[in-house]
Amino acid sequence: MSLLQLMGVTKRFGGLVAVNDVSLEIASGQLVGIVGPNGSGKTTLFNVISGVFFPEEGRVFFDGQDITRLPSYKRAPMGIGRTFQIPRPFGSATVRENVAVGAMFGTLGHQLNVNKSLKIADDIIEKVGLADHRNKLAGMLTPVEKKLMEIARALAMKPKLLMMDEAMAGMHPNDIDQMVNFIKKITQEESLAVVAMVEHIMRAVTGMAEKVIVLHQGSKLVDAPTKEALQDERVMEVYFGKSVEAL
Amino acid sequence: MRKKYLPIIPVIIAYLVLFLVGKNVSGTWQLVATLLFYCALGQAFNIFMGMTGYVDFGYVAFMGMGTYGMALGITRFVFLQEYGAVIIVIGFLLALLMSTLLSIAVGAVALRLRGAYFAIATIGVNEGFRFLIEGARIWNGSEGIIFMSQLNDILGRDAASALSTFWADVMVLVIAFLAALTTLLFMRSKIGYALTALREDEDAAKVMGINVTKYKIIAFITSACFAGSLGAASWALKTPYVFPPEVFEIHYTIEAIIIVLLGGAGTLLGPVAGGLIYGISKYYLSIFIPGFQLLIFAPIIIVIIVLFPQGVVGMLRDYTKNTVVGRFIV
Ligand SMILES: Nc1ncnc2c1ncn2[C@@H]1O[C@H](COP(=O)(O)OP(=O)(O)O)[C@@H](O)[C@H]1O
Ligand SMILES: [Mg+2]
């Protein structure tokens, strides 16, 4: 059984169809890259999965449960974690407190008190390499540090599904490689499905994803193992053709 | 005591010093009582406004409820007068019950609104409630309730007078302290983490698994209960009457907002600092330039808030970070 299943999901904003009849499945422990040009609906898809928006049509299943209209705060304890394209740290709290919030209200939240959550936070902060910034206010971090902090915060939730919204944009290539390795490692350790959504950073997709889903103007264009997907003509066209024409 | 509860110490010291000054320096009790009132007001309001970032312009209505609760307790239960002070306890219970009920009613509707919409909705609550009481002649309508004689019957003349000139203020002190203690307990528990998260970013908090409505309502009801007790102690017991226009007077809400902002929203020690600064300045300004105090006061407050957007305690906390003193300032 798949961990996440979308069936014919459509999300509109007024007349604009941001996500158009998308069906997809993601298995437990699978690394998936969702790619597509700006405005193709990747972030909206994440918002529908995490419950920020409810879709107009279609159904969303997680762990065998229909969560289509479940409030977002009930999805996190089920194991859905995410980061935001534009980081949304709890600015007046420290990095440590931010990450501890993840543990406190995540899948193990009911059995973790504040102290235990802070310990978990310390552990994860160390792993993502933010140990030096532990007691800094999250609002004072650099954009890249904020993204790392968000990954740590989402990991502290012990999610089954982690959605990263352009988490590696703006990072140095070496850091991206490091991050990719780190994520691969925790995916295996924690059997966590990671949906990395990377837009331009093919390096991260090719280095990490087992399968790639390509979105184009809200519709799913390709859903295939990474190698196949990258050889697909339509992908090339979406990525390069349009922009060349536009020149 | 566990290390994380150390910050309660400066709060205890501040209230203890205030009390001792008022008790031992002749002629200062009036001023001390006023300061305690403002500290308690700030401390109670801070639990909601400071910790959630929501501004409730109808906050004084909870103090009004508390005042009515005590008034009804005393006037309706006066037949139990042989039990004396038990009736005061009943009054406090009614005050808590009524402010809780009103906060649930207001919260269930208004707390679903965000930020400014919430603020605007609450302005209506206070005025609407006052007109309801007056118009529908609830609890004696606009004539209010005067319960001086019942209070004298219950406690005896001397005790009743000691209550209104001294013990009511001591109760305010206790309320201020309990509100501070609650604030610290919240801060150190999941509730505090949830409130910080939702204050900073409500949508992100939700996605992190936080039932934001639940935590906002917890803070709202707690804050309302302290406001209710404060109304019961400081208004009903100090001056044994209640008139709708006086207890639904919006300027107390404005004062609460100023105190919280001056001291530092969401900090533990902020309401003490804000209450003292506000109370002392107001007291002396009204002596030296009676009638003009607002004219001078408003710009001073604006300047302070612009210079220290974090409030006095917020600034102090940043300065003392990573020092021994810093451990006591939150
Ligand atoms: N909250 C919103 N309100 C209105 N339109 C939106 C909103 N979010 C996204 N959109 C629109 O939906 C489309 C898809 O956007 P988005 O999901 O952000 O794409 P991507 O993440 O792939 O760049 C865009 O045209 C965008 O303008
Ligand atoms: Mg996007």
Side-chain angles (χ1 to χ4, degrees), chain B residues 37 41 44-45 48 55-68 99 102 106 122-130 133 220 223-224 226-232 235 242-257:
Chain B
F37 171 78
L41 179 65
F45 193 50
F48 180 65
V55 185
D56 176 8
F57 281 106
Y59 191 65
V60 71
F62 299 130
M63 297 178 70
M65 278 298 93
T67 316
Y68 270 105
S99 37
L102 181 64
V106 175
T122 54
I123 295 178
V125 168
N126 187 46
E127 290 301 298
F129 214 70
R130 179 188 143 188
I133 289 175
F220 196 54
S223 182
F226 280 112
S229 332
L230 185 58
W235 288 351
V242 46
F243 298 119
E246 286 185 12
V247 294
F248 293 104
E249 172 61 76
I250 195 166
H251 92 243
Y252 290 104
T253 305
I254 307 292
E255 288 187 311
I257 297 172

Side-chain angles (χ1 to χ4, degrees), chain A residues 37-44 85 165-166 197 199:
Chain A
N38 258 330
S40 56
K42 305 178 297 285
T43 298
T44 305
Q85 181 170 357
D165 198 341
E166 302 198 23
M197 206 242 339
E199 194 189 335

Side-chain angles (χ1 to χ4, degrees), chain B residues 33-45:
Chain B
T34 309
L35 296 180
L36 286 174
F37 171 78
Y38 283 128
C39 290
L41 179 65
Q43 212 93 55
F45 193 50

Side-chain angles (χ1 to χ4, degrees), chain A residues 162-179:
Chain A
L162 169 64
M163 299 183 284
M164 297 193 296
D165 198 341
E166 302 198 23
M168 291 175 235
M171 281 188 197
H172 189 272
N174 291 342
D175 295 337
I176 291 175
D177 289 345
Q178 218 176 342
M179 199 67 220

Side-chain angles (χ1 to χ4, degrees), chain B residues 69-94 150-151 153-155 237:
Chain B
M70 183 58 82
L72 293 172
I74 288 172
T75 51
R76 302 282 151 93
F77 289 87
V78 68
F79 66 89
L80 292 176
Q81 60 180 275
E82 70 251 40
Y83 297 102
V86 169
I87 296 173
I88 306 294
V89 176
I90 294 176
F92 270 113
L93 292 178
L94 273 179
Q150 286 94 330
L151 201 58
D153 290 348
I154 291 166
L155 298 173
L237 293 181

Side-chain angles (χ1 to χ4, degrees), chain A residues 73 88 92 109 112 153, chain B residues 190 199-201 206 208 210:
Chain A
Y73 71 85
R88 301 175 78 155
S92 73
L112 293 176
R153 194 169 67 174
Chain B
K190 284 188 181 182
R199 183 185 64 207
E200 294 295 319
D201 190 328
K206 267 185 175 159
M208 303 296 298
I210 296 170

